[in-house]
Amino acid sequence: MPEGVLDPDKRRTRIISAVLAVLLGWLIVGYPAAILAFIAMVSFSGCFLECSEPDPLGGVLTLSAALILVAAPLLVAWSILKPGSRAWKFGAGAVAVLAAVFLYGQLAGAL
């Protein structure tokens, strides 16, 4: 078989592996992403049990963290489908952004 052409069986296996990786990843990060989305909603509105001052910056930060958690399994699947791709760099960048958001939230809360 010519170089760079995938065997149909290997391609099917990679597709199945990618789909399973996305489903398993969403199963793992689904609950934390839902909690972060709920916290973002409360931050944007300022109301949970009682209403207070809304915190739009907190809402944006928690919503971005939830979106990163939802996108991470897709990057893993892309890395499975295209082994030579640089999707892992985007994944590492997303984790770095999530860590920066967490660190900013911790530092802003400490001030």
Side-chain angles (χ1 to χ4, degrees), residues 5 10 18 21 40 51 53 74 82 87 90 103:
V5 177
K10 287 184 182 178
C51 290
E53 186 73 25
L74 296 173
K82 306 281 184 180
F90 291 116
L103 183 62

Side-chain angles (χ1 to χ4, degrees), residues 40-74:
M41 180 193 68
V42 170
S43 294
F44 281 130
S45 68
C47 296
F48 179 55
L49 295 176
E50 294 179 1
C51 290
S52 64
E53 186 73 25
D55 183 18
L57 180 62
V60 169
L61 293 177
T62 55
L63 188 60
S64 64
L67 291 175
I68 288 171
L69 284 177
V70 170
L74 296 173

Side-chain angles (χ1 to χ4, degrees), residues 10-25:
K10 287 184 182 178
R11 182 174 169 87
R12 184 174 296 126
T13 302
R14 281 190 182 156
I15 290 172
I16 291 171
S17 298
V19 168
L20 289 177
V22 168
L23 292 176
L24 180 64

